[in-house]
Amino acid sequence: AQSVAQPEDQVNVAEGNPLTVKCTYSVSGNPYLFWYVQYPNRGLQFLLKYITGDNLVKGSYGFEAEFNKSQTSFHLKKPSALVSDSALYFCAVRVAGAGSYQLTFGKGTKLSVIP
Amino acid sequence: EAGVVQSPRYKIIEKKQPVAFWCNPISGHNTLYWYLQNLGQGPELLIRYENEEAVDDSQLPKDRFSAERLKGVDSTLKIQPAELGDSAVYLCASSFDGYTGELFFGEGSRLTVL
């Protein structure tokens, strides 16, 4: 079975400071990893993904994430937080391999950027 | 380009009543998903379509839930009869490449069952 853990229900950060939203995963095999963001009363929007290659992936709105296989982590980062980054962030994992389409989401982390 | 369109955005019904949600995916996306999102939780897959074929419906409660995707484009998710525990947001998503590609989500249909 595959799973995603987002250990922090909420993360607070001051505007202009760096932010990190944590994600760890568990899969039987190699992972495909995704980050999505959800603004209030909206659907989820794709931010970035790791499929293969460089462990540091860059995505939308200045976000990036680092795949760490030994720690089974895929933390989301941004060098300088904006108030508009305040939203709900979801990490998701799918196991790489033919025929595997099941995408499992974490419970989400609420990010609040304080002006 | 239009995104994934869902309707209605909000629905309030009495328990035991039927309800239906509609989804129009992004043009050219052959894979369509219905997800359930409870408050404070991540989305959980209900059903996945490849064109008009339901290829993964293992999480769909088939005693009261049904879905269809006629002609491989629009899709409808139905609940009959609705129960109090069905109150949630029902998200539709589509993707061009269901394996490595990202999903594009609609804004969701929020159901309240009284």
Side-chain angles (χ1 to χ4, degrees):
Chain A
Q2 58 194 50
S3 64
V4 173
Q6 294 182 241
E8 301 155 317
D9 290 336
Q10 179 151 352
V11 171
N12 297 321
V13 63
E15 185 177 23
N17 282 3
L19 70 86
T20 298
V21 182
K22 296 180 180 178
C23 170
T24 59
Y25 65 89
S26 174
V27 293
S28 299
N30 292 320
Y32 291 164
L33 293 153
F34 303 81
W35 274 102
Y36 286 83
V37 60
Q38 186 175 34
Y39 297 100
N41 298 314
R42 303 296 297 274
L44 279 72
Q45 296 178 30
F46 169 79
L47 276 180
L48 50 79
K49 65 180 177 182
Y50 170 82
I51 301 299
T52 187
D54 194 348
N55 289 344
L56 182 65
V57 293
K58 295 185 182 297
S60 307
Y61 313 120
F63 284 93
E64 59 187 28
E66 184 166 13
F67 170 60
N68 188 317
K69 188 172 184 177
S70 63
Q71 297 185 6
T72 61
S73 67
F74 190 57
H75 301 330
L76 181 69
K77 299 181 180 183
K78 187 173 182 181
S80 179
L82 300 173
V83 173
S84 57
D85 293 330
S86 298
L88 195 55
Y89 290 81
F90 291 95
C91 181
V93 68
R94 168 182 290 144
V95 63
S100 175
Y101 285 79
Q102 183 181 0
L103 184 64
T104 300
F105 286 85
K107 291 186 176 182
T109 298
K110 182 179 180 181
L111 173 67
S112 293
V113 181
I114 303 162
Chain B
E1 179 183 285
V4 177
V5 179
Q6 290 188 247
S7 68
R9 287 292 313 278
Y10 305 92
K11 189 72 176 180
I12 301 174
I13 61 172
E14 300 277 339
K15 63 180 180 181
K16 300 185 180 180
Q17 294 299 305
V19 63
F21 304 111
W22 175 80
C23 173
N24 181 245
I26 292 173
S27 177
H29 284 192
N30 295 327
T31 308
L32 183 145
Y33 313 74
W34 283 103
Y35 280 87
L36 167 70
Q37 187 177 21
N38 287 305
L39 188 65
Q41 301 294 318
E44 299 172 25
L45 181 68
L46 289 172
I47 190 168
R48 174 172 68 91
Y49 283 91
E50 292 291 341
N51 298 304
E52 66 274 8
E53 181 181 1
V55 294
D56 184 357
D57 63 355
S58 57
Q59 302 302 312
L60 190 72
K62 298 180 183 63
D63 56 336
R64 296 184 300 107
F65 286 65
S66 64
E68 61 182 12
R69 190 184 184 197
L70 300 176
K71 301 181 181 179
V73 182
D74 296 4
S75 178
T76 302
L77 178 69
K78 298 179 181 178
I79 308 174
Q80 183 172 10
E83 297 179 352
L84 295 176
D86 296 331
S87 295
V89 177
Y90 293 84
L91 295 168
C92 180
S94 68
S95 66
F96 178 73
D97 172 3
Y99 190 49
T100 62
E102 60 267 34
L103 274 60
F104 293 81
F105 285 83
E107 295 189 327
S109 294
R110 182 179 297 275
L111 174 65
T112 302
V113 182
L114 302 176

